[in-house]
Amino acid sequence: MTNIVYNTMVKKGKESLRDIDANSRRAEAISEELLFKLLDKNKETEYGKKHDFANIHTIEDYKKKVPFSEYDDYQPYIKRMVEDNEKNLLTAEEPKHYALSSGSVGVPKHIPVSQEQLDIYSKYGTAMLFGVMDEYYRNTTGSKVPPGKGLNNIELKMMETKHGVPKGAISATLLKPVKNLVGHISTTPWTVCCPPCEMNGKYMKALFALAERDLAYFDSSFMTGLVDIMDYIKENWEMLCDNIEHGEIDASIDIPGQIRSELEALIKADKQRAMELRAEFKKGFDTPIIPRIWPKVFYVGAIGTGGFFTYTRKMRRYTGKNIPFDNLCYAASEAFIAVCRRSGDDSYVLVPEGGFYEFIPMNSDDEESTVTMEELEIGEDYEIVVTNISGFYRYKLKDVIRVTGFYNQAPLIQFVYRKSQLLSIAGEKTNEEALRWSVEQFIKDTELTIADYSVYADADTEPGHYVVLMEPQEIVNKEDIEKYRTIIEEKLMQANPSYGDKVRTGILGKTELVFLQQQTYQLYRDMMIMKGTSPNQLKPVRIIDTPMKEKFFFGLKERY
């Protein structure tokens, strides 16, 4: 059965590759055709009547009649949809799912998702990985990719509105109909993917993966999840080996008896496997451990670009240099935007059928004027505006992307930073890209291994100043801290000349550097998961922008 399910996924993945190749050749036409199809289909909706969709005949008409939007513009409509099951408000299509995303005041956003949009996520967000893996394997070995199970880091919660519409992570709605097949391509049992109670997901995923001698690949939304599992294995391998030897879940793992019995029934005592693992773990982790304990692993699929770069570097120490990484996709709850076409690419191909896209040039003072796909210029940065296929029109994602080239007609893009994630005490406007570059250069100059980092804009001091927080993976000597502080300040001043000018003139105070205790960021992720955040939505904390984050991270400073 594993071969059948795996081969079916590879077949779907190949279809995804053919679709992105074909659609990218006429990307401009597809995106424009989609816009007018949406306007015609939704002209009798409440939102369509309000903005006169029926009399929009050109893109310029659309820009004049329909304003930019943000979530708050849709919230009154969505409230009526969720609470009263009202229809024909934003779109003629009934929502098949509500994606939950954190709101600005702690109230989750309910983002409607149509069936057509779910199909896009399924095609490019789920199946595409198998097509890219197969293509890579054929190109490098000359043969088709061998069937096998992978370590899937997905973790879902099944929820519904009071009217029975699924809500939560989009992947939950996509996978629920095929939950009985998940175990044929993943070592992670469905009970762990969709836990009915609180459980130690890292332990469970590590245990079942280690028991699989012929593990073939890794799959996770973000690289952080895979690094967390490998770190857990590194710290707990003796316990895990004992459990594999005896075919049991460790007594220290808190889990209800019925679920424990259900999962233990899936574990076969394997003394030989436990011996193999112990032999490799005892040699240490100075050389890549993954090829030693899973010699058939040939692929890692997880988003590891941009702000995830520290985790990608750490995962590479576990895998070695020969296992390819696939950066999957660039997507949001509001739209599936772009996909990684080939193994190792750090740019994404815009998916033309994912929505109608406009772009606000970041080098322009006119924030109301947009360009379309054919007007994009290589090397330039743009704020992305999307009209999606589920009822959001000219929606500002607040993401800034960079155009790095073109794949046929479709632009190749990289995520650069979130407009809302800016540090600005005195108008200096330091963005996430500047922070990332500064830390990358800091690591090169100091040769320190940094697990993760954040920045806090302290406006309560006089003058205000930045506090850079870093979690090193080695002991930092107290006498070296000032040297390191000077280096990170120099890098920040170089990355953002406005910040540099303000520090030199005393408008801003000197940069402060704080080292955090080891595993601080992993502890934060564990805490957020315990509070109900999906692991699939946990992104690195770059800006400390809430009192909760401030209290947590500053409470874990190293004491010198």
Side-chain angles (χ1 to χ4, degrees):
M1 188 65 175
T2 292
N3 288 13
I4 295 172
V5 177
Y6 194 89
N7 290 335
T8 298
M9 291 305 299
V10 170
K11 181 180 178 182
K12 288 181 177 293
K14 289 180 178 179
E15 292 170 359
S16 301
L17 292 182
R18 286 195 293 269
D19 283 351
I20 194 65
D21 287 349
N23 293 341
S24 67
R25 294 187 182 97
R26 53 186 305 270
E28 298 163 10
I30 288 174
S31 188
E32 187 172 335
E33 289 165 6
L34 176 61
L35 171 64
F36 290 104
K37 171 188 167 187
L38 292 171
L39 294 174
D40 183 62
K41 183 169 66 174
N42 298 319
K43 63 188 177 185
E44 296 301 322
T45 64
E46 189 169 312
Y47 196 86
K49 290 177 180 177
K50 179 179 179 180
H51 295 289
D52 197 20
F53 283 6
N55 291 308
I56 294 176
H57 305 294
T58 67
I59 292 175
E60 288 306 312
D61 288 346
Y62 183 57
K63 293 180 181 181
K64 290 175 183 176
K65 287 180 178 289
V66 181
F68 290 136
S69 64
E70 298 181 2
Y71 181 80
D72 288 347
D73 296 306
Y74 301 106
Q75 197 276 334
Y77 298 97
I78 293 172
K79 184 178 180 181
R80 291 159 59 190
M81 293 162 66
V82 172
E83 295 184 0
D84 304 324
N85 206 28
E86 284 195 56
K87 298 176 174 55
N88 221 38
L89 298 180
L90 296 172
T91 172
E93 297 286 333
E94 292 187 27
K96 298 298 182 182
H97 180 92
Y98 287 100
L100 297 187
S101 182
S102 57
S104 57
V105 292
V107 179
K109 299 176 182 178
H110 284 66
I111 299 166
V113 184
S114 68
Q115 184 60 54
E116 188 177 357
Q117 190 168 330
L118 285 173
D119 292 342
I120 296 287
Y121 277 92
S122 179
K123 179 195 294 187
Y124 294 119
T126 303
M128 184 88 165
L129 172 65
F130 290 87
V132 174
M133 286 197 304
D134 178 73
E135 182 180 71
Y136 174 85
Y137 202 83
R138 287 176 184 273
N139 289 341
T140 54
T141 70
S143 58
K144 68 179 184 179
V145 64
K149 292 184 179 183
L151 192 169
N152 191 323
N153 187 45
I154 200 165
E155 197 165 309
L156 312 168
K157 289 188 177 180
M158 297 291 186
M159 298 178 283
E160 292 184 346
T161 69
K162 63 182 180 181
H163 298 287
V165 181
K167 67 177 185 177
I170 291 174
S171 46
T173 292
L174 293 176
L175 289 176
K176 187 176 181 180
V178 295
K179 66 179 184 180
N180 293 331
L181 302 178
V182 169
H184 293 289
I185 56 173
S186 170
T187 57
T188 308
W190 180 254
T191 304
V192 177
C193 290
C194 187
C197 62
E198 294 294 330
M199 68 171 66
N200 187 329
K202 282 187 286 191
Y203 167 84
M204 293 296 180
K205 293 165 189 172
L207 178 67
F208 283 97
L210 286 171
E212 176 58 59
R213 184 178 281 102
D214 296 330
L215 194 77
Y217 65 94
F218 290 83
D219 183 17
S220 178
S221 295
F222 302 121
M223 197 66 76
T224 45
L226 298 181
V227 169
D228 282 352
I229 291 172
M230 293 307 303
D231 285 349
Y232 185 86
I233 290 172
K234 183 177 180 180
E235 295 297 321
N236 298 279
W237 64 265
E238 292 179 284
M239 173 183 68
L240 290 161
C241 289
D242 289 344
N243 298 157
I244 290 169
E245 179 176 351
H246 297 104
E248 63 186 11
I249 294 173
D250 200 80
S252 66
I253 301 300
D254 185 19
I255 185 172
Q258 181 180 349
I259 297 172
R260 177 184 291 270
S261 298
E262 176 187 333
L263 290 171
E264 282 189 334
L266 302 174
I267 307 171
K268 293 181 180 179
D270 192 338
K271 186 174 182 179
Q272 181 62 34
R273 178 61 176 160
M275 288 176 58
E276 293 170 2
L277 291 169
R278 288 193 188 101
E280 292 303 327
F281 288 136
K282 286 177 180 178
K283 295 176 185 176
F285 289 76
D286 291 338
T287 59
I289 188 67
I290 286 175
R292 292 193 277 129
I293 60 174
W294 291 303
K296 292 188 178 181
V297 165
F298 69 91
Y299 218 81
V300 173
I303 299 172
T305 58
F308 295 96
F309 82 93
T310 56
Y311 294 95
T312 299
R313 288 184 178 187
K314 188 169 186 180
M315 190 64 183
R316 186 55 80 187
R317 290 196 291 274
Y318 285 125
T319 65
K321 63 181 181 180
N322 294 325
I323 296 175
F325 287 6
D326 176 28
N327 286 305
L328 299 181
C329 62
Y330 165 39
S333 299
E334 296 86 353
F336 192 99
I337 299 164
V339 69
C340 187
R341 174 59 185 80
R342 292 189 177 88
S343 171
D345 284 356
D346 58 6
S347 293
Y348 298 98
V349 181
L350 194 77
V351 174
E353 67 267 44
F356 174 72
Y357 302 99
E358 299 172 66
F359 306 87
I360 302 172
M362 296 306 293
N363 62 4
S364 170
D365 293 330
D366 184 359
E367 295 188 0
E368 298 299 313
S369 179
T370 65
V371 298
T372 49
M373 200 182 302
E374 66 275 12
E375 301 172 278
L376 295 175
E377 296 183 19
I378 296 173
E380 295 298 325
D381 294 351
Y382 301 87
E383 180 181 357
I384 191 166
V385 179
V386 62
T387 295
N388 75 6
I389 48 185
S390 300
F392 281 13
Y393 306 91
R394 306 197 76 205
Y395 184 83
K396 281 191 167 185
L397 283 172
K398 299 181 182 178
D399 284 1
V400 174
I401 57 96
R402 177 167 300 148
V403 177
T404 60
F406 285 87
Y407 185 74
N408 299 318
Q409 282 189 356
L412 290 166
I413 62 175
Q414 291 176 342
F415 172 82
V416 183
Y417 62 89
R418 288 275 293 166
K419 282 193 74 175
S420 57
Q421 291 278 286
L422 285 173
L423 289 166
S424 194
I425 298 174
E428 70 280 4
K429 296 182 180 178
T430 303
N431 62 40
E432 185 178 341
E433 183 188 29
L435 298 178
R436 181 171 65 247
W437 182 90
S438 300
V439 174
E440 285 178 330
Q441 299 307 308
F442 174 88
I443 291 171
K444 288 179 182 177
D445 284 8
T446 64
E447 297 185 349
L448 287 178
T449 304
I450 303 299
D452 211 337
Y453 63 95
S454 302
V455 183
Y456 173 65
D458 189 345
D460 293 330
T461 57
E462 185 59 44
H465 70 289
Y466 288 5
V467 184
V468 179
L469 300 94
M470 294 184 182
E471 180 190 321
Q473 290 186 239
E474 55 265 281
I475 301 299
V476 175
N477 295 322
K478 182 179 180 180
E479 55 269 24
D480 291 331
I481 293 178
E482 176 57 25
K483 175 183 69 176
Y484 293 145
R485 187 208 69 78
T486 301
I487 292 172
I488 191 61
E489 181 175 74
E490 289 174 348
K491 301 306 178 185
L492 284 167
M493 293 169 73
Q494 187 177 350
N496 182 3
S498 176
Y499 175 72
D501 290 342
K502 288 177 171 61
V503 171
R504 279 188 287 269
T505 58
I507 296 173
L508 291 176
K510 286 186 175 182
T511 307
E512 184 180 349
L513 177 61
V514 169
F515 286 111
L516 301 173
Q517 297 173 30
Q518 290 187 6
Q519 298 188 330
T520 291
Y521 287 91
Q522 186 179 103
L523 182 62
Y524 175 81
R525 290 192 293 277
D526 290 344
M527 179 187 73
M528 295 306 293
I529 291 169
M530 287 179 63
K531 287 186 173 185
T533 302
S534 168
N536 311 315
Q537 295 180 322
L538 272 176
K539 298 177 182 177
V541 178
R542 288 291 164 257
I543 311 295
I544 294 179
D545 54 2
T546 67
M548 185 277 286
K549 291 177 186 174
E550 181 183 350
K551 182 178 180 181
F552 178 88
F553 285 102
F554 280 94
L556 290 170
K557 295 193 298 184
E558 281 284 13
R559 309 297 176 183
Y560 290 96

